[in-house]
Amino acid sequence: TFHIALLDAYTRHDTTFFNLLDNIGFLVQFQCLLSTHGNELTMLEDHWITINNLAHCNIVLTSEELGAFSLTGLAYKVTISFGVGAEIWDMLPVGLKNRKPIPISTMLF
């Protein structure tokens, strides 16, 4: 999702998206059709825990090749370094070029 959003903003020359990443962060929405009946409750709880753990992750953009990534940190404090390539890098605000962490906010519907 993040990769697609970056490419979409780049294609449309949308610096607003990059400014939102710098000022607010990245919102990830998940939809779930599970109910709270029987075994589905446990599946829903597992789903929620996994989604909630994403809130402990940050994304840092690098000038490496688009799509290149690495993970660092511990279980509840993970940083995802994500390469955006030179073209997108040139469009980024100064804060993101200075490796400002982008928080991930999650929502489950």
Side-chain angles (χ1 to χ4, degrees):
T1 317
F2 188 73
H3 188 180
I4 293 169
L6 286 173
L7 288 175
D8 182 55
Y10 170 71
T11 302
R12 294 183 292 114
H13 303 286
D14 182 9
T15 57
T16 302
F17 174 76
F18 299 119
N19 288 327
L20 287 172
L21 285 178
D22 188 28
N23 294 318
I24 298 171
F26 187 62
L27 175 65
V28 182
Q29 174 216 324
F30 296 90
Q31 295 182 359
C32 183
L33 299 176
L34 295 172
S35 70
T36 57
H37 180 72
N39 290 339
E40 289 187 0
L41 176 60
T42 304
M43 292 168 36
L44 181 60
E45 290 169 344
D46 290 345
H47 195 73
W48 170 245
I49 290 168
T50 303
I51 291 170
N52 199 34
N53 283 340
L54 276 176
H56 300 286
C57 297
N58 289 309
I59 300 170
V60 173
L61 301 180
T62 69
S63 59
E64 294 178 39
E65 178 183 337
L66 181 63
F69 72 95
S70 65
L71 302 172
T72 56
L74 303 172
Y76 284 98
K77 190 69 172 172
V78 176
T79 299
I80 304 163
S81 296
F82 191 85
V84 296
E87 297 84 9
I88 295 175
W89 183 260
D90 291 339
M91 294 178 68
L92 296 179
V94 174
L96 296 181
K97 286 183 179 179
N98 288 333
R99 300 182 56 88
K100 176 182 175 184
I102 301 168
I104 299 175
S105 300
T106 58
M107 298 182 76
L108 173 63
F109 289 105

